[in-house]
Amino acid sequence: MLVLPGLVTSDRSTIALRGFLKSRGYDSHGWELGRNYGPLPGVERKMVDRVKALSDKHGRKVSLVGWSLGGIY
């Protein structure tokens, strides 16, 4: 599971959510792209690469959870 942060926030803002998801048995990860400034050039490609890397690493589909602006992706 990939958790996408809200506007002008980073993975730090989703620590509690990811911890909650992990406590429920989900393998949750941050997006690792710094602050979310919206769909700037290159961000979507980097997200796709992140999803592919997680899928390859874990051998399964990756769910996306977006918090606020993170939900537009």
Side-chain angles (χ1 to χ4, degrees):
M1 179 173 295
L2 181 60
V3 180
L4 310 174
L7 180 62
V8 194
T9 63
S10 65
D11 288 332
R12 186 176 174 135
S13 70
T14 63
I15 290 172
L17 174 57
R18 287 183 283 127
F20 173 78
L21 292 168
K22 285 182 181 183
S23 76
R24 298 297 185 260
Y26 294 97
D27 190 15
S28 64
H29 302 271
W31 81 329
E32 296 185 356
L33 295 177
R35 290 193 181 272
N36 182 356
Y37 292 110
L40 299 174
V43 170
E44 291 177 8
R45 169 58 31 213
K46 290 176 184 176
M47 277 187 16
V48 169
D49 292 344
R50 178 85 168 117
V51 169
K52 286 181 181 178
L54 288 171
S55 178
D56 291 346
K57 180 179 179 180
H58 298 284
R60 59 183 178 225
K61 293 180 183 180
V62 176
S63 297
L64 303 179
V65 174
W67 179 311
S68 190
L69 180 68
I72 70 165
Y73 294 110

Coordinates of all heavy atoms in Angstrom, one line a residue:
M1 N 0.8 -1.2 0.0 CA 0.0 0.0 0.0 C 0.9 1.2 0.0 O 1.8 1.3 0.8 CB -0.9 0.0 1.2 CG -1.8 1.2 1.3 SD -3.0 1.0 2.7 CE -3.9 -0.4 2.2
L2 N 0.6 2.2 -0.9 CA 1.4 3.4 -1.0 C 0.5 4.5 -0.5 O -0.6 4.7 -1.0 CB 1.8 3.6 -2.5 CG 2.6 4.9 -2.7 CD1 3.9 4.8 -2.0 CD2 2.9 5.0 -4.2
V3 N 1.0 5.3 0.5 CA 0.2 6.4 1.1 C 0.8 7.7 0.5 O 1.9 8.0 0.7 CB 0.3 6.4 2.6 CG1 -0.5 7.5 3.2 CG2 -0.3 5.0 3.1
L4 N -0.1 8.5 -0.1 CA 0.3 9.7 -0.7 C -0.1 10.9 0.2 O -1.3 11.0 0.6 CB -0.4 9.9 -2.1 CG -0.3 8.6 -3.0 CD1 -1.1 8.8 -4.3 CD2 1.2 8.4 -3.3
P5 N 0.8 11.8 0.4 CA 0.5 12.9 1.4 C -0.3 14.0 0.7 O -0.4 14.2 -0.5 CB 1.9 13.4 1.7 CG 2.8 13.1 0.5 CD 2.2 11.8 0.0
G6 N -0.8 14.9 1.6 CA -1.6 16.0 1.2 C -0.8 17.2 0.7 O 0.5 17.1 0.7
L7 N -1.4 18.3 0.3 CA -0.7 19.4 -0.3 C 0.3 20.0 0.7 O 0.1 20.2 1.8 CB -1.8 20.5 -0.6 CG -1.2 21.8 -1.2 CD1 -0.6 21.6 -2.5 CD2 -2.3 22.9 -1.3
V8 N 1.5 20.2 0.1 CA 2.7 20.8 0.8 C 3.1 20.0 2.0 O 3.8 20.5 2.9 CB 2.5 22.3 1.1 CG1 3.8 22.9 1.5 CG2 1.9 23.0 0.0
T9 N 2.7 18.7 2.1 CA 3.2 17.9 3.1 C 4.0 16.7 2.6 O 4.1 16.5 1.3 CB 2.0 17.3 4.0 OG1 1.2 16.4 3.1 CG2 1.2 18.4 4.6
S10 N 4.7 16.0 3.4 CA 5.5 14.9 3.0 C 5.1 13.6 3.7 O 4.1 13.6 4.4 CB 7.0 15.3 3.3 OG 7.1 15.3 4.7
D11 N 6.0 12.6 3.6 CA 5.7 11.3 4.2 C 5.6 11.5 5.7 O 4.9 10.7 6.4 CB 6.8 10.3 3.9 CG 6.8 9.8 2.5 OD1 5.7 9.8 1.9 OD2 7.8 9.5 1.9
R12 N 6.3 12.5 6.3 CA 6.2 12.7 7.7 C 4.8 12.9 8.2 O 4.4 12.5 9.3 CB 7.0 13.9 8.1 CG 7.2 14.2 9.5 CD 8.1 15.4 9.8 NE 8.0 15.6 11.2 CZ 9.1 15.9 12.0 NH1 10.3 15.9 11.4 NH2 8.9 16.1 13.2
S13 N 3.9 13.5 7.3 CA 2.5 13.8 7.7 C 1.7 12.5 7.7 O 0.6 12.5 8.3 CB 1.9 14.8 6.8 OG 1.7 14.3 5.5
T14 N 2.2 11.5 7.1 CA 1.4 10.2 7.0 C 1.9 9.1 7.9 O 1.5 8.0 7.8 CB 1.3 9.7 5.6 OG1 2.6 9.4 5.1 CG2 0.6 10.8 4.7
I15 N 2.8 9.5 8.8 CA 3.4 8.5 9.7 C 2.4 7.8 10.5 O 2.3 6.5 10.6 CB 4.5 9.1 10.6 CG1 5.7 9.5 9.8 CG2 4.9 8.1 11.7 CD1 6.8 10.3 10.6
A16 N 1.5 8.6 11.1 CA 0.4 8.0 12.0 C -0.5 7.1 11.2 O -0.9 6.0 11.6 CB -0.4 9.0 12.7
L17 N -0.9 7.5 10.0 CA -1.8 6.7 9.1 C -1.1 5.5 8.7 O -1.7 4.4 8.8 CB -2.2 7.6 7.9 CG -3.0 6.8 6.8 CD1 -4.3 6.2 7.4 CD2 -3.3 7.8 5.7
R18 N 0.1 5.5 8.3 CA 0.8 4.3 7.9 C 1.0 3.4 9.1 O 0.9 2.2 8.9 CB 2.2 4.7 7.3 CG 2.0 5.3 5.9 CD 3.3 5.6 5.1 NE 3.9 6.8 5.7 CZ 5.1 6.9 6.1 NH1 5.9 5.9 6.1 NH2 5.6 8.1 6.6
G19 N 1.3 3.9 10.3 CA 1.4 3.1 11.4 C 0.1 2.4 11.7 O 0.1 1.2 12.1
F20 N -1.0 3.1 11.6 CA -2.4 2.5 11.8 C -2.6 1.4 10.8 O -3.0 0.3 11.2 CB -3.5 3.5 11.7 CG -4.8 3.0 11.7 CD1 -5.4 2.6 12.9 CD2 -5.6 2.8 10.6 CE1 -6.7 2.0 13.0 CE2 -6.8 2.2 10.6 CZ -7.4 1.9 11.8
L21 N -2.3 1.6 9.5 CA -2.5 0.6 8.5 C -1.6 -0.6 8.8 O -2.1 -1.7 8.6 CB -2.2 1.2 7.1 CG -3.2 2.3 6.6 CD1 -2.6 3.0 5.4 CD2 -4.5 1.7 6.4
K22 N -0.4 -0.4 9.2 CA 0.5 -1.5 9.5 C 0.0 -2.3 10.7 O 0.0 -3.5 10.7 CB 1.9 -1.0 9.8 CG 2.7 -0.6 8.5 CD 4.1 -0.2 8.8 CE 4.8 0.2 7.5 NZ 6.1 0.6 7.7
S23 N -0.6 -1.6 11.7 CA -1.2 -2.3 12.8 C -2.4 -3.2 12.4 O -2.8 -4.1 13.2 CB -1.6 -1.3 13.9 OG -2.8 -0.7 13.6
R24 N -3.0 -2.9 11.3 CA -4.1 -3.7 10.7 C -3.7 -4.7 9.7 O -4.5 -5.3 9.0 CB -5.1 -2.7 10.1 CG -5.8 -1.7 11.1 CD -6.5 -2.5 12.2 NE -7.3 -1.6 13.0 CZ -6.9 -1.2 14.2 NH1 -5.7 -1.7 14.7 NH2 -7.6 -0.4 15.0
G25 N -2.3 -4.9 9.6 CA -1.8 -5.9 8.7 C -1.5 -5.5 7.3 O -1.1 -6.3 6.5
Y26 N -1.6 -4.2 7.0 CA -1.2 -3.7 5.7 C 0.3 -3.4 5.6 O 0.8 -2.8 6.6 CB -2.0 -2.5 5.3 CG -3.5 -2.8 5.1 CD1 -4.4 -2.6 6.2 CD2 -4.0 -3.4 4.0 CE1 -5.7 -2.8 6.0 CE2 -5.3 -3.6 3.8 CZ -6.2 -3.4 4.9 OH -7.5 -3.6 4.7
D27 N 0.9 -3.7 4.5 CA 2.3 -3.3 4.3 C 2.3 -1.9 3.7 O 2.3 -1.8 2.5 CB 3.0 -4.3 3.4 CG 4.5 -4.2 3.4 OD1 5.0 -3.5 4.2 OD2 5.1 -4.8 2.5
S28 N 2.3 -0.9 4.5 CA 2.2 0.5 4.0 C 3.5 1.2 3.8 O 4.4 1.0 4.6 CB 1.2 1.3 4.8 OG 1.7 1.5 6.1
H29 N 3.6 2.1 2.8 CA 4.8 2.8 2.5 C 4.5 4.2 2.2 O 3.5 4.5 1.6 CB 5.5 2.1 1.3 CG 5.8 0.7 1.5 ND1 7.0 0.2 2.0 CD2 5.1 -0.4 1.2 CE1 7.0 -1.1 2.1 NE2 5.8 -1.5 1.6
G30 N 5.5 5.1 2.4 CA 5.4 6.5 2.0 C 5.8 6.6 0.6 O 6.4 5.7 0.0
W31 N 5.5 7.8 0.0 CA 5.7 7.9 -1.4 C 7.2 8.3 -1.8 O 7.6 8.1 -2.9 CB 4.8 8.9 -2.1 CG 5.0 10.4 -1.9 CD1 5.6 11.0 -0.9 CD2 4.6 11.4 -2.8 NE1 5.6 12.4 -1.1 CE2 5.0 12.6 -2.3 CE3 4.0 11.4 -4.0 CZ2 4.8 13.8 -2.9 CZ3 3.7 12.6 -4.7 CH2 4.1 13.8 -4.1
E32 N 7.9 8.8 -0.8 CA 9.4 9.0 -0.9 C 9.7 10.1 -2.0 O 10.7 10.0 -2.7 CB 10.2 7.7 -1.1 CG 10.1 6.8 0.0 CD 11.0 5.6 -0.1 OE1 11.6 5.4 -1.1 OE2 11.0 4.8 0.9
L33 N 8.8 11.0 -2.2 CA 9.1 12.1 -3.2 C 9.1 13.5 -2.6 O 8.9 14.5 -3.3 CB 8.0 12.0 -4.3 CG 7.9 10.7 -5.1 CD1 6.8 10.8 -6.1 CD2 9.2 10.5 -5.9
G34 N 9.4 13.6 -1.3 CA 9.5 14.9 -0.7 C 8.1 15.5 -0.5 O 7.1 14.7 -0.3
R35 N 8.0 16.8 -0.5 CA 6.7 17.5 -0.3 C 5.8 17.3 -1.6 O 6.3 17.3 -2.7 CB 6.9 18.9 0.0 CG 7.5 19.2 1.3 CD 7.4 20.6 1.7 NE 8.0 20.8 3.0 CZ 7.3 20.7 4.2 NH1 6.1 20.4 4.2 NH2 8.0 20.9 5.3
N36 N 4.5 17.2 -1.3 CA 3.6 17.1 -2.4 C 3.1 18.5 -2.9 O 2.4 19.2 -2.2 CB 2.4 16.3 -2.0 CG 1.4 16.1 -3.1 OD1 1.5 16.6 -4.2 ND2 0.3 15.3 -2.8
Y37 N 3.7 18.9 -4.0 CA 3.3 20.2 -4.6 C 2.3 20.1 -5.7 O 2.2 21.0 -6.6 CB 4.5 21.0 -5.0 CG 5.4 21.5 -3.9 CD1 6.6 20.9 -3.6 CD2 5.0 22.4 -3.0 CE1 7.4 21.3 -2.6 CE2 5.7 22.8 -1.9 CZ 7.0 22.3 -1.7 OH 7.8 22.7 -0.7
G38 N 1.6 19.0 -5.8 CA 0.7 18.7 -6.9 C 1.4 18.0 -8.0 O 2.5 17.6 -8.0
P39 N 0.6 17.9 -9.1 CA 1.1 17.1 -10.3 C 2.1 17.9 -11.1 O 1.8 18.2 -12.3 CB -0.2 16.7 -11.0 CG -1.1 17.9 -10.7 CD -0.8 18.2 -9.3
L40 N 3.2 18.2 -10.6 CA 4.3 18.9 -11.3 C 4.9 17.9 -12.3 O 4.8 16.7 -12.2 CB 5.3 19.4 -10.4 CG 4.9 20.4 -9.3 CD1 6.0 20.8 -8.4 CD2 4.4 21.7 -10.0
P41 N 5.6 18.5 -13.4 CA 6.2 17.6 -14.3 C 7.2 16.6 -13.7 O 8.0 17.0 -12.8 CB 7.0 18.6 -15.2 CG 6.3 19.9 -15.1 CD 5.7 19.9 -13.7
G42 N 7.0 15.4 -14.0 CA 7.9 14.3 -13.5 C 7.4 13.6 -12.3 O 7.8 12.4 -12.0
V43 N 6.4 14.2 -11.5 CA 6.0 13.6 -10.3 C 5.2 12.3 -10.6 O 5.4 11.2 -10.0 CB 5.1 14.5 -9.5 CG1 4.4 13.8 -8.3 CG2 6.0 15.7 -9.0
E44 N 4.3 12.3 -11.6 CA 3.5 11.2 -11.9 C 4.4 10.0 -12.4 O 4.1 8.8 -12.0 CB 2.4 11.5 -12.9 CG 1.4 12.4 -12.3 CD 0.3 12.9 -13.4 OE1 0.3 12.3 -14.5 OE2 -0.5 13.7 -13.0
R45 N 5.4 10.3 -13.2 CA 6.3 9.2 -13.6 C 7.0 8.6 -12.4 O 7.2 7.4 -12.3 CB 7.3 9.8 -14.6 CG 8.4 8.9 -15.0 CD 8.2 7.5 -15.6 NE 7.0 7.4 -16.4 CZ 6.3 6.2 -16.5 NH1 6.7 5.2 -15.8 NH2 5.2 6.2 -17.2
K46 N 7.5 9.4 -11.5 CA 8.2 8.9 -10.3 C 7.2 8.1 -9.5 O 7.7 7.1 -8.9 CB 8.8 10.1 -9.5 CG 9.9 10.8 -10.2 CD 10.4 11.9 -9.4 CE 11.5 12.7 -10.1 NZ 11.9 13.9 -9.4
M47 N 6.0 8.5 -9.4 CA 5.0 7.7 -8.6 C 4.8 6.3 -9.3 O 4.7 5.3 -8.6 CB 3.7 8.4 -8.5 CG 3.7 9.4 -7.4 SD 2.1 10.2 -7.0 CE 0.9 9.2 -7.8
V48 N 4.7 6.3 -10.6 CA 4.5 5.1 -11.3 C 5.7 4.2 -11.1 O 5.5 3.0 -10.8 CB 4.2 5.3 -12.8 CG1 4.3 4.0 -13.6 CG2 2.9 6.0 -13.0
D49 N 6.9 4.7 -11.1 CA 8.1 4.0 -10.8 C 8.1 3.4 -9.4 O 8.5 2.3 -9.2 CB 9.3 4.8 -11.0 CG 9.6 5.2 -12.5 OD1 8.9 4.6 -13.4 OD2 10.3 6.2 -12.7
R50 N 7.6 4.2 -8.5 CA 7.5 3.7 -7.1 C 6.6 2.6 -6.9 O 6.9 1.6 -6.2 CB 7.1 4.9 -6.2 CG 7.0 4.6 -4.7 CD 8.3 4.6 -4.0 NE 8.0 4.6 -2.5 CZ 8.5 3.6 -1.7 NH1 9.2 2.7 -2.2 NH2 8.2 3.6 -0.5
V51 N 5.4 2.7 -7.6 CA 4.4 1.6 -7.5 C 5.0 0.3 -8.1 O 4.9 -0.7 -7.6 CB 3.1 2.0 -8.2 CG1 2.2 0.9 -8.4 CG2 2.4 3.1 -7.4
K52 N 5.7 0.5 -9.3 CA 6.3 -0.7 -9.9 C 7.3 -1.3 -9.0 O 7.4 -2.6 -8.9 CB 6.9 -0.3 -11.3 CG 5.8 -0.1 -12.3 CD 6.5 0.3 -13.7 CE 5.4 0.6 -14.7 NZ 6.0 1.0 -16.0
A53 N 8.1 -0.5 -8.4 CA 9.2 -1.0 -7.5 C 8.6 -1.8 -6.3 O 9.1 -2.9 -6.0 CB 10.1 0.1 -7.0
L54 N 7.5 -1.2 -5.7 CA 6.9 -1.9 -4.6 C 6.2 -3.2 -5.1 O 6.3 -4.2 -4.4 CB 5.8 -1.0 -4.0 CG 6.4 0.1 -3.1 CD1 5.3 1.1 -2.7 CD2 7.1 -0.4 -1.9
S55 N 5.6 -3.2 -6.2 CA 5.0 -4.4 -6.8 C 6.0 -5.5 -7.1 O 5.8 -6.6 -6.7 CB 4.2 -4.0 -8.1 OG 3.6 -5.2 -8.6
D56 N 7.1 -5.1 -7.7 CA 8.2 -6.0 -8.0 C 8.7 -6.6 -6.7 O 9.0 -7.8 -6.6 CB 9.3 -5.4 -8.8 CG 8.8 -5.1 -10.2 OD1 7.8 -5.6 -10.7 OD2 9.6 -4.3 -10.9
K57 N 9.0 -5.8 -5.7 CA 9.6 -6.2 -4.4 C 8.7 -7.2 -3.7 O 9.1 -8.2 -3.1 CB 9.8 -5.0 -3.6 CG 10.5 -5.3 -2.2 CD 10.7 -4.1 -1.4 CE 11.3 -4.4 -0.1 NZ 11.6 -3.3 0.8
H58 N 7.4 -6.9 -3.7 CA 6.4 -7.7 -2.9 C 5.6 -8.7 -3.7 O 4.9 -9.5 -3.1 CB 5.5 -6.8 -2.1 CG 6.2 -5.9 -1.1 ND1 6.7 -6.3 0.1 CD2 6.5 -4.6 -1.2 CE1 7.3 -5.3 0.7 NE2 7.2 -4.3 -0.1
G59 N 5.8 -8.6 -5.0 CA 5.1 -9.6 -5.9 C 3.6 -9.6 -5.9 O 2.9 -10.6 -6.0
R60 N 3.0 -8.4 -5.7 CA 1.6 -8.2 -5.7 C 1.2 -6.8 -6.1 O 2.0 -5.9 -6.2 CB 1.0 -8.6 -4.4 CG 1.5 -7.8 -3.2 CD 0.9 -8.3 -1.9 NE 1.4 -7.5 -0.8 CZ 1.8 -8.0 0.3 NH1 1.8 -9.3 0.5 NH2 2.3 -7.2 1.2
K61 N -0.1 -6.6 -6.3 CA -0.6 -5.3 -6.6 C -0.4 -4.3 -5.5 O -0.3 -4.7 -4.3 CB -2.1 -5.4 -6.9 CG -2.5 -6.1 -8.2 CD -3.9 -6.2 -8.4 CE -4.3 -7.0 -9.7 NZ -5.7 -7.0 -9.9
V62 N -0.4 -3.0 -5.8 CA -0.2 -2.0 -4.8 C -1.4 -1.1 -4.8 O -1.8 -0.6 -5.8 CB 1.1 -1.1 -5.1 CG1 1.2 0.0 -4.1 CG2 2.3 -2.0 -5.2
S63 N -2.0 -1.0 -3.6 CA -3.1 -0.1 -3.4 C -2.6 1.3 -3.1 O -1.6 1.5 -2.5 CB -4.0 -0.5 -2.2 OG -4.6 -1.8 -2.5
L64 N -3.4 2.3 -3.6 CA -3.0 3.7 -3.3 C -4.0 4.3 -2.3 O -5.2 4.2 -2.5 CB -3.0 4.5 -4.6 CG -2.1 4.1 -5.7 CD1 -2.3 5.0 -6.9 CD2 -0.7 4.0 -5.3
V65 N -3.4 5.0 -1.3 CA -4.3 5.7 -0.4 C -3.8 7.2 -0.4 O -2.7 7.5 -0.1 CB -4.1 5.2 1.1 CG1 -4.9 6.0 2.1 CG2 -4.6 3.7 1.1
G66 N -4.7 8.1 -0.8 CA -4.3 9.5 -0.9 C -5.0 10.3 0.2 O -6.2 10.2 0.5
W67 N -4.2 11.1 0.9 CA -4.7 12.0 2.0 C -4.8 13.3 1.4 O -3.9 13.9 0.9 CB -3.7 12.0 3.1 CG -4.0 12.8 4.3 CD1 -4.4 14.1 4.2 CD2 -3.9 12.5 5.6 NE1 -4.6 14.6 5.5 CE2 -4.3 13.6 6.4 CE3 -3.5 11.3 6.3 CZ2 -4.3 13.6 7.8 CZ3 -3.5 11.3 7.7 CH2 -3.9 12.4 8.4
S68 N -6.0 13.9 1.4 CA -6.3 15.2 0.8 C -5.8 15.3 -0.6 O -6.3 14.6 -1.5 CB -5.6 16.3 1.7 OG -6.1 17.6 1.4
L69 N -4.9 16.2 -0.9 CA -4.4 16.4 -2.3 C -3.8 15.1 -2.9 O -3.9 14.8 -4.1 CB -3.4 17.5 -2.4 CG -2.8 17.7 -3.9 CD1 -3.9 18.3 -4.8 CD2 -1.6 18.6 -3.8
G70 N -3.3 14.3 -2.0 CA -2.8 13.0 -2.4 C -3.8 12.1 -3.1 O -3.5 11.2 -3.9
G71 N -5.1 12.4 -2.8 CA -6.2 11.7 -3.4 C -6.5 12.0 -4.9 O -7.1 11.2 -5.6
I72 N -5.9 13.1 -5.4 CA -6.1 13.4 -6.8 C -5.4 12.4 -7.7 O -5.7 12.3 -8.9 CB -5.8 14.8 -7.2 CG1 -4.3 15.1 -7.1 CG2 -6.6 15.8 -6.3 CD1 -3.9 16.4 -7.8
Y73 N -4.3 11.8 -7.2 CA -3.6 10.9 -8.0 C -4.3 9.6 -8.2 O -4.1 8.9 -9.1 CB -2.2 10.6 -7.4 CG -1.3 11.8 -7.3 CD1 -1.0 12.4 -6.1 CD2 -0.8 12.3 -8.5 CE1 -0.2 13.5 -6.1 CE2 0.1 13.4 -8.4 CZ 0.4 14.0 -7.2 OH 1.2 15.1 -7.2

